[in-house]
Amino acid sequence: MQCVVTGGNVKVLGKAIHCLSRIGDELYVEPQEDGLALRSVNSSRSAYACFLFAPLFFSRYSIPKELSFRCKMAIKSVQTVFRSLATLEKSVEKCHISLDEQKDRLTFTLHCKHGLLKTHNLSYQDSESLEAVFDKDSCANVLRAQPRVLVDTVAHFPTSLEEVTVTVNDERMWVRNYVEDESERSKVMLTELCLAADEFDQFAIKAHNSITFCLKEFRGLLLFAESTGLPVSMYLDEPGSPVVLSVTDSVLEGNFVLATLSDDRSPPKSNRGADAEQPQPSDDFMNDDMDSYLIAMDTSIAPGPSTSDLPAPPVAASRKLPAPNNRSRRHSEEEEEEDGEEDLERPPDKKFRSLFFGSVLPSSPLMSTQPVTTQEVLASDSEDETEAE
Amino acid sequence: MPLSTISQSQDEQYVLLAILDNARNLSNILKAITCKDHAIFTATANGLKVTVEDSKCMQANAFIQADVFQEFTLKEDLVVFQINLTVLLDCLNIFGGNTAAGVSTALRLCYRGYGHPLTLFLEEGGVVTVCKINTQEPEEPIDFEFSSSDVTNKVILQSESLKEAFSELDMTSEVLQITMSPSQPYFRLSTFGNSGNAHYDYPKDSDMMELFQCNKTQTNRYKMSLLKPSTKALAISCKVSVRTDSRGVLSLQYLVRNDDGQICFVEYFCCPDEEVEEE
């Protein structure tokens, strides 16, 4: 693998890494035919981000034809390479990314002004592919705005605020701070901003929905969008389905998929969109390593190894896991009720539905062949209760 | 000058008397060598040398020439005492170390000799503070026996280019490896951390390289914990000279320009960590 990034694109790449570092601790790198994919997911699997840099983004992009390679690495170490965005812009002329498979190192070489050469040989782990299953096109509502509009909007909320609620109708979008506990509403400051439809480049509303999601990751994307000047599109649906935020231009695409709070009051509905066309998991999805196929799994239903610490399967060739559609909403509702009192002590993201991940499986014949029975329940409303205790 | 109102007759008792219009010229350079509490002050007719040591492997020296001071009187050929540097710095900044233009703390530094405290008269805006800091039995500073005739490799760089590297150093690496060579990679800083290794290469023809005199390829490792404090000196310096001798002992000399445009030096010596086999 050989990628060369030059000029201002080095800074864009650096920004994307910084942006991903707000999501999770690990960076998943996957050179694909259609570009270099950089992804990250948070520990509770409620936020996922992916940047795809098209081959044209690079002044040179060559990946091994035969061998598919993917890896994950500590995002902190990659951040070190792009530590200071200011100096990146000032001094870096060229960034060379190459893979040394003999030494198992991913090498970032920065060619700087005055002939200074910075070489970072970073270790990596083989990993499964990380891909959230989402379908922007099936979302009922699509909004697109210049980054400035949204940056100015979120600027009114304190950095300590965890979540915001976004409500849309045919003419307007409201953003307000989310207050978890209704009884506290009278004690806290409530902030609400209203944006008229004409502030947006696109404002297509089919359903009047109100969703709540984490602000931190949203801010992360806005930072990127602002520095690159790219408009931000928001794809939002009913409460409980993820909101997708994306930035696109001709050579790059960034998608942030954030879980939204589910609305317990609404009656269980059948799932829609991507989840509706659910291919049955086929028999070869099997493996004794849970991590390789269930990135977001509900351990309260299928207690299993923790999803984060397992070594990645050694074999990388694979296929994608289809999206599950069983969200077991009834089950989660019961769970929510049972654990009502604990809610206060839990971190806020616990109530988020984890995202559904399609993942890639080792297809090695050496793998165990027992069928996986818990396949359908990939996620629930909260993190593992047993783990929390 | 309120400081001058202090009786001149008292001055005669002092073996060392130094007057500085701007105490920051002293405190800035002392800050650059604070890695341990205790510092040895050596005053000669040339000026003041302040020495700090760590682990018997590293030594930092700050040289403040006599002409940096408005007055520098020495009654003996050599005056040596040891003092708590942190306390001294706190005293020098007792008025808050205001950096606003036109406001400066005037300093009168007096020492009566062995067994006496170091007395500081600090004046800012008509307010005088008198600080007395007990001195300690001076330790014998280590002689690194670094002789300029035994220098194997030497480069002089503009500090700008090293600042960037030092600010980005992977602190999970226990050592900083310095390679100097008459051929590629010329001058290389390397770290070996948890997430991999990193190399910073400076070509010998870089604009940042003012002097390149390397006779023999040398690769030495130095404890990061010992070298990291030198970043403080680097930060205020404009040029740095990196030298190694045949034993691999590292000398870093920083040229520091103070607020009044005068030049001071900070020098670090550091012993190499271990022998490194050439790859």
Side-chain angles (χ1 to χ4, degrees):
Chain A
M1 175 182 136
Q2 295 276 354
C3 307
V4 178
V5 189
T6 47
N9 281 357
V10 180
K11 194 186 163 201
V12 174
L13 185 66
K15 278 266 179 194
I17 304 275
H18 279 271
C19 190
L20 288 168
S21 72
R22 288 183 163 236
I23 304 276
D25 297 330
E26 272 166 336
L27 179 72
Y28 291 75
V29 181
E30 188 173 350
Q32 300 171 170
E33 282 286 295
D34 58 343
L36 181 69
L38 302 176
R39 305 185 174 97
S40 186
V41 65
N42 70 352
S43 57
S44 59
R45 314 265 150 169
S46 61
Y48 159 89
C50 170
F51 282 98
L52 182 68
F53 296 98
L56 276 177
F57 176 83
F58 302 90
S59 49
R60 181 155 151 235
Y61 184 79
S62 69
I63 56 166
K65 285 259 166 3
E66 306 293 306
L67 190 85
S68 84
F69 165 81
R70 58 178 74 85
C71 68
K72 64 176 174 187
M73 50 214 301
I75 204 156
K76 270 210 183 111
S77 58
V78 191
Q79 252 184 304
T80 324
V81 181
F82 301 100
R83 168 104 22 110
S84 151
L85 291 172
T87 42
L88 273 188
E89 196 169 25
K90 255 199 337 227
S91 70
V92 181
E93 286 160 355
K94 192 163 85 171
C95 170
H96 194 118
I97 306 167
S98 65
L99 174 72
D100 182 344
E101 276 192 291
Q102 263 83 53
K103 286 191 181 159
D104 282 334
R105 289 280 193 266
L106 196 61
T107 301
F108 291 79
T109 312
L110 299 181
H111 298 255
C112 306
K113 284 227 171 78
H114 311 297
L116 172 58
L117 194 67
K118 301 181 188 174
T119 313
H120 294 261
N121 299 307
L122 304 179
S123 52
Y124 59 81
Q125 284 177 280
D126 285 338
S127 85
E128 74 283 6
S129 174
L130 175 76
E131 223 168 319
V133 176
F134 61 92
D135 182 3
K136 296 190 278 196
D137 301 328
S138 71
C139 283
N141 305 312
V142 183
L143 314 168
R144 191 173 69 245
Q146 290 303 313
R148 199 67 242 166
V149 174
L150 296 171
V151 168
D152 288 348
T153 305
V154 299
H156 293 279
F157 296 98
T159 40
S160 56
L161 180 67
E162 305 260 8
E163 296 115 19
V164 284
T165 302
V166 170
T167 308
V168 287
N169 74 6
D170 292 336
E171 292 102 36
R172 287 184 178 83
M173 175 176 108
W174 286 269
V175 185
R176 58 176 77 94
N177 55 331
Y178 173 72
V179 183
E180 194 167 3
D181 193 348
E182 282 295 320
S183 63
E184 272 181 27
R185 277 194 88 81
S186 55
K187 295 177 204 157
V188 298
M189 182 173 73
L190 302 173
T191 309
E192 180 175 307
L193 275 107
C194 176
L195 296 174
D198 59 10
E199 301 262 13
F200 293 82
D201 301 350
Q202 187 190 355
F203 200 83
I205 304 298
K206 286 195 200 122
H208 296 184
N209 284 330
S210 182
I211 55 160
T212 302
F213 55 91
C214 275
L215 189 55
K216 186 181 132 205
E217 289 84 6
F218 184 37
R219 283 193 212 266
L221 176 78
L222 289 180
L223 273 180
F224 179 83
E226 200 187 14
S227 71
T228 49
L230 295 175
V232 178
S233 303
M234 293 176 74
Y235 299 84
L236 50 102
D237 219 321
E238 64 193 42
S241 347
V243 57
V244 182
L245 304 159
S246 65
V247 286
T248 317
D249 79 359
S250 54
V251 291
L252 70 89
E253 184 183 349
N255 285 306
F256 276 51
V257 186
L258 308 179
T260 61
L261 282 184
S262 61
D263 185 356
D264 292 337
R265 285 156 295 189
S266 70
K269 288 181 210 159
S270 66
N271 289 294
R272 27 188 312 177
D275 303 331
E277 5 167 320
Q278 175 222 12
Q280 282 302 313
S282 58
D283 276 349
D284 57 351
F285 290 118
M286 54 203 66
N287 181 337
D288 37 22
D289 179 2
M290 297 290 209
D291 188 34
S292 63
Y293 65 94
L294 293 188
I295 289 183
M297 70 172 287
D298 181 355
T299 39
S300 66
I301 294 169
S306 125
T307 52
S308 53
D309 298 325
L310 285 175
V315 185
S318 45
R319 40 179 301 199
K320 277 175 194 157
L321 186 76
N325 81 338
N326 183 351
R327 296 192 183 182
S328 65
R329 190 163 285 208
R330 281 197 180 282
H331 170 86
S332 12
E333 270 176 10
E334 285 158 23
E335 226 170 55
E336 293 275 353
E337 277 162 29
E338 282 165 19
D339 302 321
E341 315 116 1
E342 285 173 32
D343 269 10
L344 284 176
E345 279 145 35
R346 291 201 213 147
D349 57 353
K350 289 222 164 186
K351 293 205 305 181
F352 283 104
R353 284 174 183 284
S354 289
L355 299 172
F356 292 171
F357 285 86
S359 183
V360 172
L361 284 182
S363 56
S364 160
L366 296 172
M367 288 296 174
S368 128
T369 50
Q370 62 169 24
V372 174
T373 49
T374 53
Q375 194 78 50
E376 293 202 334
V377 187
L378 288 187
S380 80
D381 288 51
S382 56
E383 277 182 354
D384 181 18
E385 254 73 71
T386 53
E387 221 168 56
E389 278 158 21
Chain B
M1 280 288 292
L3 276 188
S4 56
T5 59
I6 295 158
S7 147
Q8 294 292 323
S9 63
Q10 275 191 5
D11 286 355
E12 269 132 55
Q13 312 164 19
Y14 298 123
V15 295
L16 167 68
L17 174 73
I19 294 174
L20 201 54
D21 282 349
N22 186 357
R24 222 141 50 81
N25 285 344
L26 180 64
S27 63
N28 276 352
I29 199 151
L30 293 185
K31 249 185 252 164
I33 57 162
T34 43
C35 50
K36 280 277 177 269
D37 272 349
H38 297 286
I40 305 158
F41 278 66
T42 313
T44 61
N46 291 331
L48 199 57
K49 179 176 120 180
V50 186
T51 307
V52 179
E53 290 178 347
D54 189 3
S55 314
K56 300 273 178 210
C57 292
M58 189 278 267
Q59 185 183 73
N61 293 298
F63 299 94
I64 305 124
Q65 257 103 294
D67 56 8
V68 170
F69 296 92
Q70 273 63 47
E71 194 186 320
F72 191 82
T73 341
L74 209 59
K75 293 273 167 59
E76 293 164 16
D77 290 345
L78 181 72
V79 173
V80 184
F81 58 90
Q82 184 170 313
I83 201 165
N84 186 318
L85 188 58
T86 319
V87 173
L88 175 64
L89 276 172
D90 284 347
C91 292
L92 290 175
N93 288 308
I94 205 149
F95 290 107
N98 201 334
T99 51
V103 187
S104 60
T105 310
L107 165 75
R108 181 190 195 88
L109 184 145
C110 320
Y111 179 60
R112 283 178 148 192
Y114 185 80
H116 289 278
L118 181 73
T119 312
L120 306 175
F121 297 90
L122 292 140
E123 185 268 336
E124 188 178 307
V127 181
V128 178
T129 308
V130 183
C131 307
K132 286 189 178 174
I133 308 167
N134 286 338
T135 53
Q136 304 157 347
E137 191 74 47
E139 282 167 29
E140 187 66 31
I142 305 164
D143 182 2
F144 278 75
E145 291 168 354
F146 193 95
S147 128
S148 46
S149 58
D150 186 32
V151 167
T152 311
N153 293 315
K154 175 178 181 179
V155 298
I156 297 180
L157 284 155
Q158 289 185 22
S159 301
E160 206 52 49
S161 59
L162 270 191
K163 278 179 200 170
E164 197 181 315
F166 269 78
S167 69
E168 291 175 7
L169 284 182
D170 179 359
M171 293 309 290
T172 63
S173 173
E174 253 188 46
V175 293
L176 176 68
Q177 180 177 297
I178 300 180
T179 305
M180 291 203 267
S181 165
S183 57
Q184 285 262 342
Y186 305 115
F187 180 65
R188 165 178 277 194
L189 304 174
S190 312
T191 54
F192 307 87
N194 294 339
S195 54
N197 55 52
H199 304 290
Y200 284 68
D201 296 347
Y202 295 79
K204 66 172 181 179
D205 52 359
S206 164
D207 323 341
M208 289 292 164
M209 191 76 76
E210 299 218 339
L211 181 85
F212 185 87
Q213 273 175 9
C214 292
N215 304 313
K216 188 172 163 270
T217 302
Q218 255 187 330
T219 300
N220 292 298
R221 293 182 173 201
Y222 305 92
K223 281 250 182 306
M224 188 68 99
S225 55
L226 295 176
L227 278 191
K228 189 65 186 174
S230 71
T231 315
K232 285 187 276 188
L234 179 65
I236 58 167
S237 68
C238 40
K239 280 181 201 176
V240 53
S241 152
V242 183
R243 299 183 297 167
T244 51
D245 69 7
S246 56
R247 301 164 299 164
V249 174
L250 175 74
S251 146
L252 295 168
Q253 287 175 322
Y254 298 95
L255 189 147
V256 179
R257 214 174 276 279
N258 70 15
D259 289 357
D260 301 330
Q262 293 155 316
I263 286 171
C264 301
F265 288 96
V266 174
E267 178 164 38
Y268 278 80
F269 291 112
C270 190
C271 293
D273 209 25
E274 60 192 66
E275 290 292 318
V276 178
E277 291 299 311
E278 290 297 324
E279 279 177 50

